[in-house]
Coordinates of all heavy atoms in Angstrom, one line a residue:
C1 N 92.6 104.1 96.8 CA 91.2 104.4 96.4 C 90.8 103.2 95.5 O 91.3 103.0 94.5 CB 91.1 105.7 95.6 SG 89.5 106.0 94.8
V2 N 89.8 102.5 96.0 CA 89.2 101.4 95.3 C 88.0 101.9 94.6 O 87.1 102.4 95.2 CB 88.9 100.2 96.2 CG1 88.3 99.1 95.4 CG2 90.1 99.7 96.9
A3 N 88.0 101.6 93.3 CA 86.9 102.1 92.4 C 86.0 101.0 91.9 O 86.5 99.9 91.7 CB 87.5 102.9 91.2
S4 N 84.7 101.3 91.7 CA 83.8 100.3 91.2 C 82.7 101.0 90.5 O 82.5 102.2 90.7 CB 83.3 99.4 92.3 OG 82.6 100.2 93.3
G5 N 82.0 100.3 89.6 CA 80.8 100.9 88.9 C 81.1 101.5 87.6 O 80.2 102.1 87.0
F6 N 82.4 101.5 87.2 CA 82.7 102.0 85.9 C 84.0 101.3 85.4 O 84.6 100.6 86.1 CB 82.9 103.5 85.9 CG 84.1 104.0 86.8 CD1 85.3 104.4 86.3 CD2 83.9 104.1 88.2 CE1 86.3 104.8 87.1 CE2 84.9 104.5 89.0 CZ 86.2 104.8 88.5
I7 N 84.3 101.5 84.1 CA 85.5 100.9 83.5 C 86.7 101.7 83.9 O 87.1 102.6 83.2 CB 85.3 100.7 82.0 CG1 84.0 100.0 81.6 CG2 86.5 100.0 81.4 CD1 83.7 100.0 80.2
F8 N 87.3 101.3 85.0 CA 88.4 102.1 85.6 C 89.5 102.4 84.6 O 90.0 103.5 84.6 CB 88.9 101.3 86.8 CG 90.1 101.9 87.5 CD1 89.8 102.9 88.5 CD2 91.4 101.5 87.3 CE1 90.9 103.5 89.2 CE2 92.4 102.1 88.0 CZ 92.2 103.1 89.0
R9 N 89.9 101.4 83.8 CA 91.1 101.6 83.0 C 91.0 102.7 82.0 O 92.1 103.1 81.5 CB 91.5 100.2 82.4 CG 90.5 99.7 81.5 CD 90.9 98.3 80.9 NE 89.8 97.7 80.2 CZ 89.5 98.0 78.9 NH1 90.1 99.0 78.3 NH2 88.5 97.4 78.3
I10 N 89.9 103.1 81.6 CA 89.7 104.1 80.5 C 89.6 105.5 81.0 O 89.5 106.4 80.2 CB 88.6 103.7 79.6 CG1 87.2 103.8 80.2 CG2 88.8 102.3 79.0 CD1 86.1 103.7 79.2
Y11 N 89.6 105.7 82.3 CA 89.3 107.0 82.9 C 90.6 107.6 83.5 O 91.3 106.9 84.2 CB 88.2 107.0 83.9 CG 86.8 106.9 83.2 CD1 86.3 105.6 83.0 CD2 86.1 108.0 82.9 CE1 85.0 105.5 82.4 CE2 84.9 107.9 82.3 CZ 84.3 106.7 82.1 OH 83.1 106.6 81.5
S12 N 90.8 108.9 83.3 CA 91.8 109.6 84.1 C 91.2 109.7 85.6 O 90.0 109.8 85.8 CB 92.0 111.0 83.6 OG 92.5 111.0 82.3
M13 N 92.2 109.7 86.5 CA 91.8 109.7 87.9 C 92.6 110.8 88.6 O 93.7 111.2 88.2 CB 92.1 108.4 88.6 CG 91.4 107.2 88.0 SD 89.6 107.2 88.4 CE 89.6 107.1 90.1
G14 N 92.1 111.3 89.7 CA 92.8 112.3 90.4 C 92.7 112.2 92.0 O 91.8 111.5 92.5
W15 N 93.7 112.8 92.6 CA 93.6 113.0 94.1 C 93.5 114.5 94.3 O 94.3 115.3 93.8 CB 94.9 112.5 94.7 CG 95.0 111.0 94.9 CD1 95.7 110.1 94.1 CD2 94.3 110.2 95.9 NE1 95.5 108.8 94.5 CE2 94.7 108.8 95.6 CE3 93.5 110.5 96.9 CZ2 94.2 107.8 96.4 CZ3 93.0 109.4 97.7 CH2 93.4 108.1 97.5
Y16 N 92.6 114.9 95.2 CA 92.4 116.2 95.6 C 92.5 116.3 97.1 O 92.5 115.2 97.8 CB 91.0 116.8 95.2 CG 90.9 117.1 93.8 CD1 90.9 116.1 92.8 CD2 90.7 118.4 93.4 CE1 90.7 116.5 91.4 CE2 90.6 118.8 92.0 CZ 90.6 117.8 91.1 OH 90.4 118.1 89.8
R17 N 92.7 117.5 97.7 CA 92.7 117.6 99.1 C 92.0 118.9 99.5 O 92.0 119.9 98.7 CB 94.1 117.6 99.7 CG 95.0 118.7 99.3 CD 96.4 118.5 99.8 NE 97.3 119.6 99.5 CZ 98.6 119.5 99.7 NH1 99.2 118.4 100.2 NH2 99.4 120.6 99.3
Q18 N 91.5 118.9 100.7 CA 90.9 120.1 101.2 C 91.3 120.3 102.7 O 91.0 119.4 103.5 CB 89.4 120.0 101.1 CG 88.7 121.3 101.5 CD 87.2 121.4 101.0 OE1 86.6 120.4 100.7 NE2 86.7 122.6 100.9
A19 N 92.0 121.4 102.9 CA 92.4 121.7 104.3 C 91.3 122.6 104.9 O 90.5 123.3 104.2 CB 93.7 122.5 104.3
P20 N 91.2 122.7 106.2 CA 90.2 123.5 106.9 C 90.2 124.9 106.4 O 91.3 125.5 106.4 CB 90.5 123.3 108.4 CG 91.2 122.0 108.5 CD 92.0 121.9 107.2
G21 N 89.1 125.5 106.0 CA 89.0 126.8 105.6 C 89.6 127.1 104.2 O 89.6 128.3 103.8
K22 N 89.9 126.1 103.5 CA 90.5 126.3 102.2 C 89.7 125.6 101.1 O 88.9 124.7 101.4 CB 92.0 125.8 102.2 CG 92.9 126.6 103.0 CD 94.3 126.2 102.8 CE 95.3 127.1 103.6 NZ 96.7 126.7 103.4
Q23 N 89.9 126.0 99.9 CA 89.2 125.3 98.8 C 89.9 124.0 98.5 O 91.1 123.8 98.7 CB 89.3 126.2 97.5 CG 88.4 127.4 97.6 CD 88.3 128.1 96.3 OE1 89.2 128.1 95.5 NE2 87.1 128.8 96.0
R24 N 89.1 123.1 97.9 CA 89.6 121.8 97.5 C 90.6 122.0 96.3 O 90.3 122.8 95.4 CB 88.5 120.9 97.0 CG 88.8 119.4 96.9 CD 87.6 118.5 96.7 NE 86.8 118.5 97.9 CZ 85.7 117.7 98.1 NH1 85.4 116.8 97.1 NH2 85.0 117.8 99.2
E25 N 91.7 121.4 96.3 CA 92.7 121.6 95.3 C 93.2 120.3 94.8 O 93.3 119.2 95.5 CB 93.9 122.4 95.9 CG 94.7 121.7 97.0 CD 95.9 122.4 97.5 OE1 96.2 123.5 96.9 OE2 96.6 121.9 98.4
L26 N 93.6 120.3 93.5 CA 94.2 119.1 92.8 C 95.6 118.9 93.4 O 96.4 119.8 93.5 CB 94.3 119.3 91.3 CG 95.0 118.2 90.5 CD1 94.2 116.9 90.6 CD2 95.2 118.7 89.1
V27 N 95.8 117.6 93.8 CA 97.2 117.2 94.3 C 97.9 116.5 93.1 O 99.1 116.8 92.8 CB 97.0 116.2 95.5 CG1 98.4 115.7 95.9 CG2 96.3 116.9 96.6
A28 N 97.3 115.5 92.5 CA 97.9 114.8 91.4 C 96.9 114.1 90.6 O 95.7 113.8 91.1 CB 98.8 113.7 92.0
A29 N 97.2 113.9 89.3 CA 96.3 113.2 88.4 C 97.1 112.2 87.5 O 98.3 112.4 87.3 CB 95.6 114.2 87.6
I30 N 96.3 111.2 87.0 CA 97.0 110.2 86.2 C 96.0 109.9 85.1 O 94.8 109.7 85.3 CB 97.4 109.0 87.0 CG1 98.1 108.0 86.1 CG2 96.2 108.3 87.7 CD1 98.9 106.9 86.9
S31 N 96.4 109.9 83.8 CA 95.6 109.6 82.7 C 95.4 108.1 82.6 O 96.1 107.3 83.2 CB 96.2 110.2 81.4 OG 97.3 109.4 81.0
S32 N 94.5 107.7 81.7 CA 94.3 106.3 81.4 C 95.6 105.6 80.9 O 95.8 104.4 81.1 CB 93.2 106.1 80.4 OG 93.4 106.7 79.2
E33 N 96.4 106.4 80.2 CA 97.7 105.9 79.7 C 98.8 105.9 80.7 O 99.9 105.5 80.4 CB 98.1 106.7 78.4 CG 97.2 106.6 77.2 CD 96.0 107.6 77.3 OE1 96.1 108.4 78.2 OE2 95.1 107.5 76.5
G34 N 98.6 106.6 81.8 CA 99.6 106.6 82.9 C 100.4 107.9 82.9 O 101.3 108.0 83.7
T35 N 100.0 108.9 82.1 CA 100.7 110.2 82.2 C 100.2 110.9 83.5 O 99.1 110.9 83.9 CB 100.3 111.1 81.0 OG1 100.7 110.4 79.8 CG2 101.0 112.4 81.1
T36 N 101.2 111.4 84.2 CA 100.9 112.0 85.5 C 101.2 113.5 85.5 O 102.0 114.0 84.8 CB 101.8 111.4 86.6 OG1 103.2 111.5 86.3 CG2 101.5 109.9 86.7
N37 N 100.5 114.2 86.4 CA 100.9 115.6 86.7 C 100.6 115.9 88.2 O 99.8 115.2 88.8 CB 100.2 116.6 85.8 CG 98.7 116.6 86.0 OD1 98.2 117.3 86.9 ND2 97.9 115.9 85.2
Y38 N 101.3 116.8 88.7 CA 101.3 117.1 90.2 C 101.2 118.6 90.4 O 101.7 119.4 89.7 CB 102.6 116.6 90.8 CG 102.8 115.1 90.7 CD1 103.5 114.6 89.6 CD2 102.3 114.3 91.7 CE1 103.7 113.2 89.5 CE2 102.5 112.9 91.6 CZ 103.2 112.4 90.5 OH 103.3 111.0 90.4
A39 N 100.6 118.9 91.6 CA 100.7 120.3 92.0 C 102.1 120.6 92.4 O 102.9 119.7 92.8 CB 99.8 120.5 93.3
D40 N 102.5 121.9 92.2 CA 103.9 122.3 92.5 C 104.3 122.0 93.9 O 105.4 121.6 94.2 CB 104.1 123.7 92.2 CG 104.1 124.0 90.7 OD1 104.3 123.1 89.9 OD2 104.0 125.2 90.3
S41 N 103.3 122.1 94.8 CA 103.6 121.9 96.2 C 104.0 120.5 96.6 O 104.5 120.3 97.7 CB 102.4 122.4 97.1 OG 101.3 121.6 96.7
V42 N 103.7 119.5 95.8 CA 104.0 118.1 96.1 C 104.9 117.4 95.2 O 105.3 116.3 95.4 CB 102.7 117.3 96.2 CG1 101.6 118.0 97.1 CG2 102.1 117.1 94.8
K43 N 105.4 118.2 94.1 CA 106.3 117.6 93.2 C 107.6 117.1 93.9 O 108.1 117.8 94.7 CB 106.7 118.6 92.1 CG 105.6 118.7 91.0 CD 106.0 119.7 89.9 CE 105.0 119.9 88.9 NZ 105.3 120.9 87.9
G44 N 108.0 115.9 93.5 CA 109.2 115.3 94.1 C 108.9 114.6 95.4 O 109.8 113.9 96.0

């Protein structure tokens, strides 16, 4: 994901996904400091 139009390094970022017929869900996120968290379904 290439970002532009804001100061990328100071913002937390995330990946979400949406399967057909389902709600959009968080897959993984990363803070500006590099701390990460994951949905249980994708951990590891």
Side-chain angles (χ1 to χ4, degrees):
C1 170
V2 178
S4 61
F6 63 101
I7 305 173
F8 179 80
R9 61 181 171 80
I10 68 173
Y11 285 91
S12 295
M13 300 291 298
W15 284 101
Y16 283 70
R17 67 186 180 188
Q18 187 166 19
K22 294 188 176 181
Q23 288 189 330
R24 195 170 295 189
E25 62 175 0
L26 175 67
V27 175
I30 185 166
S31 72
S32 58
E33 296 85 7
T35 301
T36 59
N37 66 82
Y38 298 91
D40 287 344
S41 59
V42 307
K43 280 181 181 176

